[in-house]
Amino acid sequence: MPEETGEKLGLRTLEDISMLILHSHDLQETLDNIVNLVAKRMSSDVCSIYLLEEDGETLRLHATRGLSRLSVGITMKTSEGLTGLAMEQRGVVATDNAPLHPRYKYFRQTKEEKVLSFLGVPFFERNNPIGVLVIQNRDARTFTSQEISAVSTIAWQISSIVSNAKLLDSIRKKEEERAFYAAEVDRLRKSGELKDSGRASRKEHGSGVLTGIGISPGFALGKVSVLHRGASEEAVLEQARPRGEEQTRFLHALEKARIQTLYMEKRVGQILSEADAAIFHSHLMILEDRGFIGKITALIDQGLGAHTAVSQVVENYVSAFARMQDPYLRERSADMEDIGRRICLALNGGNHKHRERLRDPRIIIARELLPSDLAIMDHAKVIGIATEKGNQNAHAAIMARALGIPAVFGVEGLLKKTGARCEMVVDGNSGCVYVNPEQRIKKEYQRLQGEFDQKQRALEGIRELPAVTTDGCTVSLLANIGLLSDLKVAQAHGAEGVGLYRTEFPFMSRKTFPGRIEQAAIYRKVLEGFPGLPVTIRTLDIGGDKELSYFPHPKEDNPFLGWRSMRISLDREDIFREQLAAVLLASASGRCNIMFPMISGVDEVRRIKGILEQVKEELRNDGKEFAGDIGLGVMVELPAAVLVADMLAREVDYLSIGTNDLIQYTLACDRNNPRVKKWYDPYHPAVLHSIKKVAEAAAGAGKPASLCGEMAGEPINAVLLLGLGMRSFSLSAPNIPRVKEAIRSISLAQAEQIAAQVLGMESALSIKSYLEAVQRELGL
């Protein structure tokens, strides 16, 4: 082992582990990388990580370097072997001759008969054991106190990774359920059923109905669980310590807070989206900010304890944010509180009693919900959320929407009027919270739940069936993805490939531009996820509302009409060429297509094709191989592209309509601006005639046309788009079964008849009313 103290080795390893997290794609890959790193750093023949199962009695081998690969997955009781002893005693177990130890047990699958020395260090999260880090050597080896200290430091770091990962792995999007509930509740309100029940409830039980802000649509019915702050988050009496010791305590706590935040960013980004990950990226930036750290260390130098110094600095930031006029900036005070809480928890050792785990599905009520509260919850058991504080701009609100958990914030007097024994309905659509609701309201929500479950079972039966109309027209249903974790979701819902892979996240999750080799490894995994099926990789689309922290972007009055997307790529050819080279290097791993966003005319396309040919020639000269049949396409998102769609179709292999931006640019309506939301309308005649024009232009050139965007996710919209001439849709994967069901229940002739009727209408309102009537008639 290199001659360095356990503390220095642990801190150095922390930096390496942080990088491993960024370059790993799930918990298993992270653990595999860690055991390889630690085995090398500790000069050991074997390094293994065992995790404790939910029963609290079983240890499972999750990752190893040195033991047989076939042994991964074996289990043992905590009453068995030296690893079990470390967990049982909640302390270090070390011996230079393991077979002679009375608790030694040989597991045949591991093939560990050749190792003599053993060092086992248990790791905990808030005093709850979660696993054991094991180091073994073939030769007899007496582990020094420095070595044990180093392994203990590393185990302490691993604990944050594992605990966060196990909880965050339960996050899943519930888009289908959310859409179903929203539609049903809307229907009930229009029919008067739910509205009447609500009125009755208000009249008979005035105190039973509370109102707030609808944050995340959908509804939930169930028992409540009140979220209380732990004792370690309160101010504590600090013992007088030397300043150097206090500085060291603070820096160690800061490192632990960073790795927790880093992992939250990584996992939330993989499972949800780059926007959700950005919540924790902003936290990480503050934790690494020299000004923030300097204020705290300066107070410690003046004689304050670390906990008091952190609390004072955070409180100053919170007060500053709270005084700001902008509601979004005011809401950032909650983020500062969250960051301060995380550091203080680490300072206090994280040894307070773990927050009670939910035993059954519950509605969470709280004074306020912070991002880290939501990040570490068991989301499989959180069915709804209601809080006294918070609004649409809160980061916890953003996460609740992404998770698909019905939520209502800003409910005044919530905690005083509810308790642990209450039953509640949370209606995220209306912003109403029903406390101990009357029986008829409960029955209505229960009926909706039953209908949804029945619908889901029916959809599962068509997963493997093709999307073919009753008169034989085949439609391709592909998935939009942005994260590698989306691959499994897409596969589970029967996607026939990837119609749009957004490449922005690998750029957003790093501190510098990733090189071609790093990018190629990611693109290769996407292609390998759908062997034999088409995968369309869209080149970098940054700017507008998507920025890179390490790439200076000019301040623009209207960034959506400014320097973004393909305009950046063509101005910064160095970045563009690296990405093209990466796609080409990965292309042989599947059926690869490249798509270029925000194209306005043929001049751009011809320049792009010229650059691509130069990159191909460069790779050929370097002896690199790539596929020779890569399809090239453009996204039709601008009105200019619609008007020259026939010219574009002659230049490329396919056209793809991006409805989200097409609607925005056609109607001059920022889709992220709530003030003009009502003008963002997919049923506007200008939008529908644009789609029809592009479909005809592609057909005239003998080229395929696809459509990607939120519009294709609604079954009635898919029928309309089919009638307008579209034969390929790329959509959010959970919507694929519903769209497939709609396509299989109608003929192409019917769809074309519906589209013809719509194209003859002059207003979005009449189109929407007509489609609602058709939807009811067809039972979609």
Side-chain angles (χ1 to χ4, degrees):
M1 174 179 169
E3 292 185 3
E4 54 184 342
T5 65
E7 180 182 339
K8 285 184 179 179
L9 179 64
L11 290 176
R12 186 161 66 88
T13 305
L14 171 63
E15 297 175 2
D16 291 337
I17 288 176
S18 297
M19 291 304 297
L20 289 180
I21 294 171
L22 281 175
H23 292 87
S24 303
H25 299 98
D26 53 31
L27 175 62
Q28 186 58 55
E29 187 174 349
T30 302
L31 296 182
D32 288 339
N33 288 335
I34 288 174
V35 293
N36 287 327
L37 171 68
V38 175
K40 180 180 179 181
R41 193 60 55 76
M42 291 293 299
S43 301
S44 61
D45 297 314
V46 176
C47 178
S48 306
I49 295 176
Y50 295 79
L51 299 184
L52 190 64
E53 301 276 89
E54 288 295 324
D55 62 8
E57 299 177 353
T58 306
L59 284 165
R60 183 180 297 275
L61 177 60
H62 273 254
T64 185
R65 163 71 183 272
L67 298 182
S68 168
R69 284 290 177 185
L70 297 176
S71 64
V72 173
I74 67 163
T75 60
M76 66 180 74
K77 295 298 180 183
T78 54
S79 58
E80 296 179 300
L82 293 172
T83 305
L85 180 63
M87 179 62 69
E88 198 173 56
Q89 293 183 347
R90 300 169 70 93
V92 175
V93 172
T95 175
D96 61 358
N97 198 327
L100 295 181
H101 196 284
R103 273 292 295 268
Y104 177 77
K105 180 173 181 179
Y106 173 63
F107 292 89
R108 182 175 54 82
Q109 303 98 314
T110 65
K111 297 183 180 179
E112 61 180 344
E113 63 272 12
K114 295 182 180 180
V115 294
L116 274 179
S117 58
F118 176 95
L119 172 62
V121 178
F123 47 90
F124 308 83
E125 175 61 21
R126 296 174 181 172
N127 212 31
N128 292 305
I130 56 176
V132 181
L133 174 62
V134 173
I135 302 293
Q136 294 172 282
N137 277 76
R138 294 189 181 91
D139 301 326
R141 174 177 177 179
T142 301
F143 292 96
T144 66
S145 59
Q146 286 186 335
E147 290 173 331
I148 293 173
S149 173
V151 177
S152 298
T153 301
I154 294 165
W156 168 73
Q157 295 155 7
I158 294 172
S159 68
S160 295
I161 296 170
V162 174
S163 61
N164 283 315
K166 290 176 73 175
L167 290 169
L168 289 169
D169 273 343
S170 66
I171 299 175
R172 290 295 181 267
K173 289 184 179 179
K174 300 178 182 177
E175 295 176 31
E176 296 160 280
E177 183 175 357
R178 178 171 56 184
F180 175 82
Y181 286 158
E184 283 298 293
V185 171
D186 186 55
R187 180 183 66 77
L188 288 169
R189 285 212 171 80
K190 287 179 180 177
S191 67
E193 296 175 56
L194 192 56
K195 185 176 181 181
D196 291 340
S197 297
R199 282 205 189 108
S201 175
R202 291 166 196 262
K203 184 177 180 181
E204 297 165 23
H205 305 279
S207 63
V209 182
L210 306 174
T211 58
I213 305 166
I215 293 296
S216 180
F219 61 81
L221 165 64
K223 296 179 180 179
V224 305
S225 183
V226 183
L227 178 66
H228 293 294
R229 296 286 175 229
S232 66
E233 296 169 39
E234 307 297 334
V236 295
L237 292 174
E238 295 184 287
Q239 297 177 355
R241 295 183 178 91
R243 294 176 187 177
E245 187 176 333
E246 282 298 289
Q247 294 285 14
T248 300
R249 284 184 67 232
F250 166 63
L251 292 176
H252 283 185
L254 187 67
E255 288 300 322
K256 185 165 187 179
R258 282 172 178 163
I259 198 168
Q260 288 174 333
T261 305
L262 180 69
Y263 201 86
M264 285 181 183
E265 178 193 2
K266 175 69 174 176
R267 295 295 292 133
V268 169
Q270 287 180 327
I271 297 167
L272 299 180
S273 72
E274 55 265 29
D276 304 302
I279 293 169
F280 293 103
H281 185 69
S282 65
H283 288 199
L284 190 62
M285 290 175 68
I286 293 171
L287 288 168
E288 294 178 344
D289 182 70
R290 292 181 180 179
F292 175 71
I293 297 168
K295 287 181 173 68
I296 296 171
T297 55
L299 288 178
I300 295 173
D301 282 339
Q302 293 171 23
L304 271 63
H307 195 291
T308 303
V310 170
S311 298
Q312 283 193 18
V313 171
V314 168
E315 180 56 37
N316 289 338
Y317 276 90
V318 169
S319 299
F321 278 119
R323 290 192 297 269
M324 293 183 178
Q325 295 296 316
D326 188 286
Y328 179 84
L329 293 175
R330 276 202 310 274
E331 199 58 43
R332 299 293 68 79
S333 63
D335 292 304
M336 287 307 307
E337 289 179 2
D338 201 3
I339 291 164
R341 185 180 64 159
R342 215 171 302 153
I343 299 173
C344 289
L345 279 171
L347 277 169
N348 295 345
N351 290 326
H352 70 283
K353 184 179 178 182
H354 191 282
R355 188 176 295 143
E356 184 179 354
R357 291 186 177 182
L358 298 176
R359 297 181 180 180
D360 50 14
R362 293 286 179 126
I363 292 170
I364 301 297
I365 63 173
R367 186 181 71 85
E368 182 178 22
L369 203 64
L370 300 175
S372 60
D373 290 325
L374 199 48
I376 65 172
M377 284 180 184
D378 183 352
H379 304 98
K381 293 180 181 175
V382 178
I383 58 174
I385 299 168
T387 68
E388 289 188 343
K389 291 183 64 179
N391 57 38
Q392 291 278 3
N393 294 315
H395 276 155
I398 296 168
M399 291 183 67
R401 286 193 291 272
L403 288 166
I405 301 174
V408 178
F409 285 5
V411 183
E412 190 175 343
L414 175 67
L415 294 180
K416 289 183 179 179
K417 297 177 181 179
T418 57
R421 296 178 181 271
C422 285
E423 194 173 34
M424 182 180 287
V425 167
V426 172
D427 188 338
N429 299 286
S430 68
C432 289
V433 172
Y434 300 82
V435 182
N436 294 321
E438 61 176 292
Q439 194 61 30
R440 54 180 166 173
I441 290 180
K442 287 168 59 177
K443 281 185 177 179
E444 190 56 45
Y445 283 120
Q446 288 165 347
R447 182 186 69 79
L448 291 174
Q449 181 68 61
E451 286 186 6
F452 175 76
D453 292 342
Q454 185 178 7
K455 183 74 172 177
Q456 289 303 102
R457 287 193 292 272
L459 290 176
E460 287 175 6
I462 67 170
R463 180 186 177 280
E464 302 299 331
L465 299 177
V468 180
T469 62
T470 57
D471 52 356
C473 177
T474 300
V475 177
S476 298
L477 297 180
L478 304 97
N480 294 335
I481 70 171
L483 309 163
L484 290 174
S485 59
D486 291 341
L487 289 171
K488 291 181 180 179
V489 179
Q491 293 160 354
H493 288 89
E496 301 170 57
V498 175
L500 170 62
Y501 171 51
R502 304 178 179 95
T503 59
E504 290 76 50
F505 184 69
F507 288 81
M508 289 182 166
S509 62
R510 285 156 174 77
K511 294 183 178 180
T512 59
F513 281 106
R516 64 178 64 182
I517 302 301
E518 192 174 5
Q519 289 184 59
I522 298 170
Y523 304 153
R524 197 171 288 116
K525 288 186 178 182
V526 178
L527 288 161
E528 290 170 348
F530 281 93
L533 296 174
V535 171
T536 298
I537 299 173
R538 184 181 71 184
T539 58
L540 191 60
D541 183 8
I542 57 172
D545 58 349
K546 292 175 285 188
E547 294 185 3
L548 305 180
S549 61
Y550 51 85
F551 182 59
H553 203 91
K555 179 174 175 55
E556 298 176 301
D557 291 336
N558 194 332
F560 283 99
L561 297 182
W563 198 48
R564 63 165 293 201
S565 195
M566 205 65 231
R567 295 169 182 175
I568 294 178
S569 294
L570 289 176
D571 281 354
R572 287 295 304 271
E573 279 194 32
D574 54 331
I575 300 169
F576 188 42
R577 287 173 180 271
E578 280 293 285
Q579 184 169 34
L580 290 178
V583 176
L584 291 171
L585 290 172
S587 63
S589 298
R591 286 178 56 189
C592 181
N593 299 311
I594 308 178
M595 185 159 65
F596 305 103
M598 204 175 170
I599 295 297
S600 62
V602 295
D603 288 339
E604 293 164 333
V605 177
R606 288 169 182 167
R607 184 178 168 196
I608 289 166
K609 289 164 70 175
I611 294 171
L612 181 61
E613 286 304 315
Q614 291 172 13
V615 174
K616 286 182 178 180
E617 186 62 25
E618 175 198 329
L619 293 179
R620 289 191 194 98
N621 292 338
D622 290 342
K624 305 295 185 183
E625 296 182 356
F626 52 87
D629 56 350
I630 301 173
L632 301 183
V634 297
M635 291 199 75
V636 179
E637 304 168 282
L638 306 179
V642 173
L643 293 174
V644 296
D646 54 340
M647 303 176 195
L648 292 173
R650 292 194 290 268
E651 292 285 335
V652 294
D653 299 310
Y654 63 92
L655 302 178
S656 182
I657 302 173
T659 55
N660 295 353
D661 270 331
L662 179 62
I663 297 167
Q664 172 173 255
Y665 288 123
T666 299
L667 304 178
C669 174
D670 180 357
R671 55 192 167 104
N672 295 321
N673 186 340
R675 289 188 176 181
V676 296
K677 184 178 179 181
K678 62 183 177 181
W679 281 283
Y680 182 87
D681 195 337
Y683 303 113
H684 193 290
V687 173
L688 300 179
H689 281 275
S690 293
I691 293 171
K692 177 67 174 175
K693 178 175 175 60
V694 175
E696 289 176 342
K703 306 287 177 67
S706 64
L707 184 142
C708 54
E710 301 300 323
M711 186 177 178
E714 286 297 321
I716 187 62
N717 291 350
V719 169
L720 171 61
L721 294 167
L722 175 64
L724 290 173
M726 305 307 300
R727 299 292 181 268
S728 177
F729 303 133
S730 187
L731 56 156
S732 178
N735 290 326
I736 289 176
R738 296 167 59 234
V739 170
K740 183 183 291 186
E741 181 188 46
I743 290 170
R744 290 178 59 84
S745 67
I746 196 170
S747 68
L748 175 60
Q750 285 177 287
E752 289 176 338
Q753 194 173 29
I754 292 168
Q757 188 75 18
V758 164
L759 290 174
M761 296 180 177
E762 297 179 348
S763 78
L765 187 61
S766 59
I767 291 171
K768 190 173 183 180
S769 297
Y770 169 71
L771 291 176
E772 286 176 351
V774 171
Q775 187 171 12
R776 287 193 296 271
E777 182 182 340
L778 296 176
L780 299 178

